[in-house]
Amino acid sequence: MPVGSSDSAPTRISLFDRLRLYSEAALYIGATTSVALGLYFMFRRYHTSADIPDRALKSHTKIRGYVIDVSDGDSLRVYHTPLVRWFEQRPEKKRGLAKYTISVRLSAVDAPEVSHFGKPAQPLSAEAKQLLTDQVLNKRVSIVPLAKDQYGRVVATVTYRSWWFGKTNAAHVMLRQGMASLYTGGNAQYDGEKELLERIQSDAKRAKRGIWGLRNYESPAAYKQKHK
């Protein structure tokens, strides 16, 4: 037998076996990557609305957090607490909220405008702000992001626990109490509830609650157009 020869020829791997090995490796890498990404997003905190990726808007991925501030009857700021960081102590309200909170606008509704930039407040704007404040300020909420508006705010469905097992939609309450009207402007987002929201508003109109009891009601859209 020649020197250096072997009793048996090298094992040859068939094409089928090679494809099977490649497939198993690809599945392993894919599964590992998915787990890593899942853990990343479970721990990652969105500091501002600019941090929320487009894929979260398109998939309407639910975001949880604490309401730190209420600006008016349809705007608030949320301190995001990811699922595995829910125990974190939320910050007290202070200056610089724009740097660490998500600016959120309630979807589907338009509340009376508060006074700003020297413009007068609309009737019941203070009451609308107070109603939203009573609902959500310093409470844990869930927001379902639907879009972003021209100001970079996240337009979202906002819900909170009113009972141990029950959830309340903040926009529903604003409409039901006549402290907001149905938003019908550009990029209106209804989260599949337009007919329900229209019924809620109709009930408030018939009962003349809130803005519907005003003698000369001016919609927020008309007010903003007049005070451009």
Side-chain angles (χ1 to χ4, degrees):
M1 180 181 295
V3 178
S5 65
S6 174
D7 292 337
S8 59
T11 303
R12 298 185 62 183
I13 302 176
S14 68
L15 178 61
F16 174 79
D17 289 334
R18 287 182 184 180
L19 291 174
R20 180 175 57 81
L21 289 172
Y22 292 154
S23 298
E24 290 175 352
L27 287 172
Y28 174 77
I29 293 171
T32 303
T33 302
S34 296
V35 170
L37 286 173
L39 290 173
Y40 171 73
F41 287 115
M42 286 175 69
F43 280 94
R44 183 189 181 191
R45 192 175 79 78
Y46 298 133
H47 293 276
T48 68
S49 55
D51 295 331
I52 300 176
D54 289 340
R55 64 176 174 274
L57 297 176
K58 292 177 181 177
S59 63
H60 307 319
T61 302
K62 189 176 293 185
I63 298 170
R64 295 175 177 83
Y66 287 96
V67 176
I68 303 297
D69 183 62
V70 174
S71 305
D72 54 34
D74 54 35
S75 303
L76 54 143
R77 285 193 170 274
V78 175
Y79 180 79
H80 178 213
T81 53
L83 181 61
V84 296
R85 295 171 61 177
W86 63 270
F87 52 84
E88 286 185 355
Q89 185 176 2
R90 61 185 181 274
E92 296 296 329
K93 181 182 176 182
K94 58 183 180 181
R95 290 185 178 181
L97 286 175
K99 296 179 180 179
Y100 63 87
T101 57
I102 300 170
S103 181
V104 178
R105 190 189 192 286
L106 293 186
S107 64
V109 299
D110 209 2
E113 294 291 311
V114 298
S115 175
H116 53 269
F117 303 120
K119 300 173 184 177
Q122 282 193 279
L124 297 180
S125 59
E127 289 83 350
K129 177 181 177 180
Q130 189 60 52
L131 177 58
L132 184 58
T133 298
D134 292 342
Q135 289 189 79
V136 300
L137 186 60
N138 296 323
K139 294 180 182 178
R140 186 170 174 80
V141 298
S142 294
I143 66 174
V144 177
L146 306 173
K148 288 184 182 179
D149 67 9
Q150 66 269 35
Y151 306 109
R153 298 177 298 182
V154 175
V155 180
T157 298
V158 178
T159 58
Y160 59 93
R161 290 194 179 277
S162 51
W163 299 96
W164 184 253
F165 294 105
K167 286 187 177 182
T168 298
N169 184 311
H172 291 184
V173 175
M174 300 304 293
L175 278 180
R176 188 173 295 113
Q177 297 302 321
M179 290 299 165
S181 57
L182 190 65
Y183 180 73
T184 58
N187 196 30
Q189 301 290 328
Y190 303 113
D191 200 12
E193 294 188 331
K194 188 175 182 181
E195 291 185 1
L196 171 62
L197 295 165
E198 288 174 338
R199 288 199 301 270
I200 294 174
Q201 177 169 271
S202 294
D203 290 342
K205 278 185 175 182
R206 281 195 295 270
K208 295 184 177 181
R209 298 191 196 104
I211 56 177
W212 308 116
L214 297 174
R215 178 170 295 181
N216 297 307
Y217 170 63
E218 180 180 44
S219 72
Y223 169 89
K224 284 181 275 192
Q225 184 67 28
K226 184 173 71 176
H227 291 280
K228 272 188 173 181

